[in-house]
Amino acid sequence: MKSVLSYACQRVLLIAFLLALSGIGEAYAQRPDRLSSRGSVLYGDLKVEGLTAGGTFQVILYAGVNLMQQTTISSGGRFRFSGVPNGEFTIVVQYENQSVYRNNIRLAENQPTDVRHDITLRAEAPGGGKPAAPAGVVYNRSSSNQGLYDSALASVEKKQMDEAVTSLKKVVASDARDYMAWTELGTVYFKQEKFSNADAAYQKALEAKPSYLLALVNLGKLRLAQKNFEGAVETLSKAVVEAPTSADVQHYLGEAYLGAKKGSKAVGHLNEAIRLDPIGKADIHLRLATLYNAAGMKDKAVLEYEQFLEKRPDYAEKKKIQDYISQNKTPK
């Protein structure tokens, strides 16, 4: 199957938060904010599947409620935001002045770099009929429920989580099949660290739509956060079936297998994440190098470090890696 994200308003928990709870996050947690003033480049390709009408999309970068940069592109186009500093941001895609995609992202880089964030959407007609233009709703809510849903998203933007919960609970009380509202509710609970409530909400979303990628991924992240690695493997294995070309999903599943002490299975998914996004997932080489070194497989660790430096030649701790390579590389 193709990697698909619903493009009704969505919120994905910060990747860095999850990674800090698994081994690779330690490197991020220890990094001071040393990014120079010129910042990084945040870019990606926008693809809309099943689109039967033309038109353009606005891709907007927010810092909190403040608009930082925006660009207008067509499906298949590339957006590019330059000079982005370290911090937390929201990427929003709009079509005909309607938000059809929303995702949080966090930059925590040692030095300016290119950060790739591709967006794949699918145009769906109400009721699952013939694909329509993106203006067609993905979930056919009543006008009152749509108002509550939009109000909840606005509350989340303002970090008014209790108000968001109240609105979303009203939506799902009125329509228990609204898998998107259940997913959003789970994400708000996750942000509040109400893990059992978040789990229950995600489960409700998946009861309504078992293949809903956002619910599968966020439930997997939740289980990683709780160190329920076997549960994370179960959920993220389903997510990778839905989105085999998502570098993030492959990465999360690899981390879940590592937590479950199934390293041989983890390595395949971590390497696939690198293959899918060689630059954006370059830090996984550091993760693998650490694992190989701990296992006494120094030749493999050297290879991972070499591949990392090829992709990140300006890495702040380059000298340490070069010293390791010179000390452990087997002469030819």
Side-chain angles (χ1 to χ4, degrees), residues 5-22:
L5 292 175
S6 168
Y7 56 74
C9 295
Q10 299 180 354
R11 179 171 301 278
V12 180
L13 289 175
L14 298 177
I15 293 171
F17 170 75
L18 171 65
L19 296 181
L21 298 171
S22 53

Side-chain angles (χ1 to χ4, degrees), residues 9-330:
C9 295
Q10 299 180 354
R11 179 171 301 278
V12 180
L13 289 175
L14 298 177
I15 293 171
F17 170 75
L18 171 65
L19 296 181
L21 298 171
S22 53
I24 196 169
E26 296 174 3
Y28 287 93
Q30 294 170 3
R31 288 181 181 175
D33 192 352
R34 294 181 289 174
L35 190 66
S36 75
S37 58
R38 67 186 177 91
S40 291
V41 174
L42 177 61
Y43 75 101
D45 293 336
L46 173 66
K47 299 178 182 178
V48 183
E49 301 171 352
L51 182 62
T52 59
T56 57
F57 299 80
Q58 288 72 49
V59 184
I60 309 169
L61 182 67
Y62 288 95
V65 297
N66 299 314
L67 187 154
M68 288 188 64
Q69 300 182 48
Q70 65 179 345
T71 186
T72 300
I73 59 176
S74 301
S75 175
R78 172 166 291 183
F79 62 89
R80 183 181 183 89
F81 301 126
S82 300
V84 183
N86 284 341
E88 299 179 2
F89 305 94
T90 302
I91 297 178
V92 175
V93 178
Q94 291 184 343
Y95 181 83
E96 295 184 350
N97 297 317
Q98 177 183 356
S99 294
V100 295
Y101 173 85
R102 181 184 303 266
N103 194 358
N104 287 349
I105 189 168
R106 179 173 184 260
L107 299 189
E109 306 299 327
N110 277 336
Q111 59 277 314
T113 187
D114 291 348
V115 179
R116 183 164 186 166
H117 182 83
D118 290 338
I119 300 172
T120 301
L121 313 175
R122 180 164 57 199
E124 296 179 7
K130 182 179 179 180
V137 295
V138 174
Y139 191 86
N140 192 17
R141 293 187 188 90
S142 66
S143 59
S144 59
N145 275 6
Q146 187 62 48
L148 287 167
Y149 186 83
D150 291 341
S151 176
L153 295 178
S155 295
V156 171
E157 287 291 341
K158 300 174 185 175
K159 302 188 185 301
Q160 297 171 345
M161 299 304 177
D162 289 339
E163 289 83 348
V165 167
T166 298
S167 296
L168 290 167
K169 287 176 72 174
K170 289 179 181 178
V171 174
V172 296
S174 173
D175 181 4
R177 300 294 297 174
D178 193 336
Y179 58 91
M180 292 168 58
W182 278 118
T183 301
E184 189 68 31
L185 180 58
T187 299
V188 174
Y189 279 138
F190 197 168
K191 284 179 174 289
Q192 294 179 311
E193 299 186 10
K194 296 180 179 179
F195 295 154
S196 60
N197 289 345
D199 187 285
Y202 289 141
Q203 294 283 10
K204 286 288 187 180
L206 292 171
E207 286 176 14
K209 188 169 184 177
S211 63
Y212 189 43
L213 181 61
L214 189 60
L216 287 169
V217 171
N218 282 3
L219 180 57
K221 294 182 188 180
L222 173 65
R223 290 174 171 176
L224 280 171
Q226 295 176 297
K227 301 189 184 302
N228 176 7
F229 299 116
E230 293 291 352
V233 166
E234 177 187 3
T235 300
L236 291 168
S237 293
K238 296 175 183 176
V240 87
V241 170
E242 297 298 322
T245 59
S246 167
D248 284 340
V249 175
Q250 294 283 356
H251 187 175
Y252 299 147
L253 182 54
E255 290 293 330
Y257 273 124
L258 283 179
K261 302 187 184 306
K262 297 178 179 178
S264 59
K265 291 185 176 181
V267 168
H269 291 286
L270 294 175
N271 280 324
E272 180 64 6
I274 294 171
R275 188 189 71 79
L276 291 166
D277 187 1
I279 303 300
K281 293 298 182 182
D283 280 5
I284 295 179
H285 287 298
L286 299 180
R287 174 67 155 153
L288 291 169
T290 300
L291 293 169
Y292 286 137
N293 180 66
M297 304 167 71
K298 296 188 183 296
D299 284 348
K300 288 191 174 183
V302 165
L303 181 60
E304 296 296 336
Y305 279 135
E306 288 177 333
Q307 293 180 78
F308 174 76
L309 290 181
E310 287 177 6
K311 298 170 184 176
R312 297 280 294 278
D314 298 328
Y315 185 60
E317 298 182 0
K318 179 178 181 179
K319 181 63 166 55
K320 290 182 179 179
I321 294 178
Q322 289 175 324
D323 289 344
Y324 180 94
I325 292 172
S326 63
Q327 293 167 12
N328 295 283
K329 187 169 185 176
T330 301

